[in-house]
Amino acid sequence: MGGAVSAGEDNDELIDNLKEAQYIRTELVEQAFRAIDRADYYLEEFKDNAYKDLAWKHGNIHLSAPCIYSEVMEALDLQPGLSFLNLGSGTGYLSSMVGLILGPFGVNHGVELHSDVIEYAKQKLDFFIKTSDSFDKFEFCEPSFVTGNCLEISPDCTQYDRVYCGAGVQKEHEDYMKNLLKVGGILVMPLEEKLTKITRTGPSAWETKKILAVSFAPLIQPNHADSGKSRLVHLPPVAVRSLQDLARIAIRGTIKKIIHQETMSKNGNGLKNPPRFKRRRVRRRRMETIVFLDKEVFASRISNPSDDNNNCEEFEDERREEEETKPPELKPDPPVNFLREKVLSLPLPDPLKYYLLYYREK
């Protein structure tokens, strides 16, 4: 599934293509996609395919196509502080992007059938938190993952503001999925081969919108052959932030405001993303000649017998001439982690500085 946009050379170019094709339409979704490099969720030997608009599967590990994830993110209408449940959370790529928008006071839970995929997701989450400069640009709602079949969630679980299911839902399970939602909540799932958005407008009132045609593997039905009993999935508790954690969030937020104010006083505007430079793509078309004979008009390519033989040589000459005359490509300076620099400059004990930076490696 996928292939709706052309491949990018890096994560930013992939996002540029998704924006141009109107799959990404809002600034919050764009920021989340740019903050997490899709290639980081691939196994090393498959990273060459990371920026193609295609799904990827290796064993139990699976990523949907970028155009699908962007439609899902847009349909969920995410806002800070909401609760989110990801059914079939997989690598955690989508859950991590959602966490960037939910912020520190949101809830971010995932249910995944395969325990090996849960371990893979935790490794990728840890890598993002410890190494990505994007982490310090947001206050992150860290995902929590549990192993189990998402069709066996305990009936006493809390309801969520936003729910996404990453596998095909049979019609008989539609009501089960709806009941996971709070009133006012949004559910996005593949239903009858259509990516479907369902909004709960009242205790028993719903609005349904079909977004686009999709092809997902169906949900795996629970197997009770061994014990004959259901294995209920208990979702993580909604934990209250500790006072220490709240203090860290408040201090980081204050430092970010100071950085923003300092930047505005220097150049009169806020922080901007560094410019991205896309490689110029040149398309060559075969020139045709218009010939007028009396009152008749003929369009044809006039050539001599040596044209075809010289065509490749002429093309190479043109290419070399263009490379010699065009100015060298400008590359943006590497982004500066202003928050990290500011924290490290504070007159504080090192352990407190490292706590404010989440003990990150960078």
Side-chain angles (χ1 to χ4, degrees), residues 32-47:
F33 267 86
R34 292 198 191 279
I36 299 181
D37 195 322
R38 181 175 167 89
D40 289 342
Y41 287 78
Y42 275 66
L43 292 169
E44 192 65 37
E45 59 267 34
F46 300 103
K47 285 189 175 182

Side-chain angles (χ1 to χ4, degrees), residues 110-333:
V111 180
E112 169 57 42
L113 183 63
H114 304 288
S115 58
D116 60 324
V117 180
I118 290 275
E119 290 306 310
Y120 186 85
K122 289 179 178 178
Q123 291 171 15
K124 296 303 179 183
L125 175 62
D126 188 57
F127 178 81
F128 170 69
I129 292 175
K130 287 185 176 179
T131 66
S132 174
D133 277 323
S134 296
F135 179 83
D136 283 327
K137 298 177 183 177
F138 300 83
E139 290 301 334
F140 187 47
C141 182
E142 186 173 332
S144 297
F145 304 113
V146 295
T147 306
N149 190 307
C150 65
L151 292 175
E152 296 183 297
I153 293 174
S154 174
D156 60 355
C157 79
T158 184
Q159 293 176 314
Y160 291 79
D161 297 303
R162 301 290 186 267
V163 177
Y164 170 65
C165 182
V169 177
Q170 293 85 352
K171 190 68 177 175
E172 68 223 54
H173 297 306
E174 181 179 355
D175 289 340
Y176 170 90
M177 295 293 178
K178 288 178 176 179
N179 287 329
L180 296 171
L181 274 185
K182 294 179 181 178
V183 174
I186 294 173
L187 164 66
V188 178
M189 62 181 177
L191 181 66
E192 297 181 317
E193 297 192 341
K194 295 286 192 302
L195 189 64
T196 305
K197 175 181 179 178
I198 298 176
T199 304
R200 187 168 194 170
T201 57
S204 56
W206 317 85
E207 288 182 358
T208 301
K209 178 183 178 182
K210 303 292 185 182
I211 300 173
L212 77 165
V214 292
S215 178
F216 278 65
L219 282 172
I220 296 177
Q221 303 300 307
N223 183 3
H224 304 149
D226 296 336
S227 62
K229 296 181 180 179
S230 175
R231 300 172 182 174
L232 290 181
V233 176
H234 296 279
L235 297 171
V238 179
V240 177
R241 293 275 192 177
S242 68
L243 183 59
Q244 186 179 15
D245 206 14
L246 291 172
R248 173 164 60 183
I249 293 166
I251 293 169
R252 285 167 61 91
T254 300
I255 294 173
K256 286 180 181 179
K257 288 179 182 177
I258 292 171
I259 293 170
H260 181 69
Q261 291 167 358
E262 289 176 349
T263 305
M264 289 188 67
S265 65
K266 287 180 182 178
N267 54 27
N269 54 26
L271 290 172
K272 294 183 178 180
N273 291 327
R276 294 181 302 279
F277 297 85
K278 294 182 70 175
R279 180 176 295 178
R280 184 184 172 205
R281 295 172 180 169
V282 179
R283 294 183 180 178
R284 287 185 169 80
R285 298 179 180 176
R286 177 173 289 180
M287 296 300 294
E288 295 190 344
T289 303
I290 308 299
V291 181
F292 294 86
L293 295 176
D294 293 331
K295 295 181 181 180
E296 300 292 331
V297 180
F298 299 90
S300 64
R301 178 174 180 267
I302 299 179
S303 62
N304 57 53
S306 63
D307 274 358
D308 292 336
N309 295 332
N310 294 334
N311 189 51
C312 292
E313 294 179 7
E314 290 175 1
F315 181 83
E316 284 299 315
D317 291 341
E318 288 177 10
R319 185 182 62 79
R320 282 195 294 269
E321 182 179 347
E322 183 179 277
E323 288 179 351
E324 290 171 0
T325 57
K326 75 176 181 180
E329 286 189 2
L330 297 175
K331 294 184 178 179
D333 294 330

